[in-house]
């Protein structure tokens, strides 16, 4: 990692994380968040999706014990994002929403393009994008490409597994 001072970090990643990958991914995620905190990161942004977004948000909340100056900011596509989720996922989402330092919804209800609007808003104003991206297509790949196009440092944890 370069030593440039940073302030804002966003997360993007796949919804489905293979169970055999989850523990290693969590360990890498914790090390990267700690390194970013040491580099000056204070704000971590997540988009509220299942999978990597949830994993990253929970890890930031856990790491607030060691780094009490960090903030979790949620940028959410719409208020009804969880309408088709299972009960456990909804409860986890509500926990994160209640524990976050701030949250904003871009739309009241789902509309075409709201997820991509969320992805762009996560990246805009960020210094670093931490990703779990193993595919060259889809929302996560789009967000990684958008980050690189906007000269945001990209750390893809998939490459470290």
């Amino acid at each position: 990692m370069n030593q440039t001072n940073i302030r804002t970090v966003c997360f993007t990643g796949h919804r489905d994380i293979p169970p055999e990958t989850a523990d290693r991914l969590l360990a890498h995620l914790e090390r990267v968040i700690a390194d970013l905190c040491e580099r000056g990161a204070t704000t971590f942004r997540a988009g509220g999706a299942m999978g990597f977004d949830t994993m990253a948000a929970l890890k930031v909340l856990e790491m607030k014990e060691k780094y009490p100056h960090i903030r979790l900011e949620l940028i959410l596509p719409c208020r009804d994002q969880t309408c088709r989720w299972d009960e456990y996922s909804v409860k986890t989402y509500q926990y994160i929403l209640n524990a976050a330092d701030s949250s904003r919804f871009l739309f009241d209800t789902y509309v075409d393009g709201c997820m991509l609007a969320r992805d762009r808003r996560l990246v805009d104003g960020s210094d670093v994008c931490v990703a779990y991206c193993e595919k060259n297509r889809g929302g996560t790949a789009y967000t990684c490409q958008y980050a690189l196009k906007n000269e945001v440092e990209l750390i893809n944890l998939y490459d470290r597994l």
Side-chain angles (χ1 to χ4, degrees):
M1 265 183 219
N2 72 45
Q3 296 303 310
T4 305
N5 197 31
I6 54 126
R7 292 282 173 242
T8 304
V9 176
C10 67
F11 297 105
T12 188
H14 301 303
R15 287 186 195 100
D16 296 319
I17 298 172
E20 64 276 8
T21 302
D23 286 343
R24 284 182 298 151
L25 180 57
L26 268 173
H28 284 299
L29 181 61
E30 184 169 342
R31 280 193 296 276
V32 166
I33 292 171
D35 288 345
L36 292 168
C37 287
E38 297 300 324
R39 288 175 57 195
T42 56
T43 301
F44 292 84
R45 296 175 170 172
M50 287 190 281
F52 184 72
D53 274 16
T54 295
M55 180 184 284
L58 289 170
K59 184 54 73 176
V60 169
L61 291 172
E62 175 188 316
M63 293 182 74
K64 286 180 101 173
E65 286 187 33
K66 183 174 181 182
Y67 301 99
H69 67 283
I70 65 175
R71 296 174 31 84
L72 177 63
E73 178 180 291
L74 301 178
I75 299 175
L76 306 165
C78 53
R79 293 185 185 280
D80 59 353
Q81 179 176 2
T82 63
C83 69
R84 294 187 178 147
W85 293 11
D86 62 85
E87 183 180 345
Y88 176 79
S89 297
V90 171
K91 284 182 179 180
T92 304
Y93 173 89
Q94 287 298 327
Y95 168 78
I96 293 168
L97 186 60
N98 291 331
D101 296 286
S102 68
S103 60
R104 71 182 83 142
F105 294 92
L106 301 182
F107 299 90
D108 284 331
T109 60
Y110 179 88
V111 296
D112 283 344
C114 70
M115 300 297 177
L116 294 177
R118 182 260 329 261
D119 296 341
R120 288 188 297 273
R121 183 74 62 91
L122 284 166
V123 171
D124 292 342
S126 290
D127 302 300
V128 177
C129 179
V130 177
Y132 173 68
C133 184
E134 62 176 285
K135 303 171 191 166
N136 291 328
R137 64 190 189 294
T140 299
Y142 168 84
T143 307
C144 291
Q145 291 162 4
Y146 184 79
L148 291 172
K149 178 181 160 194
N150 287 280
E151 299 181 0
V152 172
E153 179 184 346
L154 179 66
I155 300 169
N156 187 358
L157 297 180
Y158 178 75
D159 297 336
R160 298 177 182 208
L161 298 178

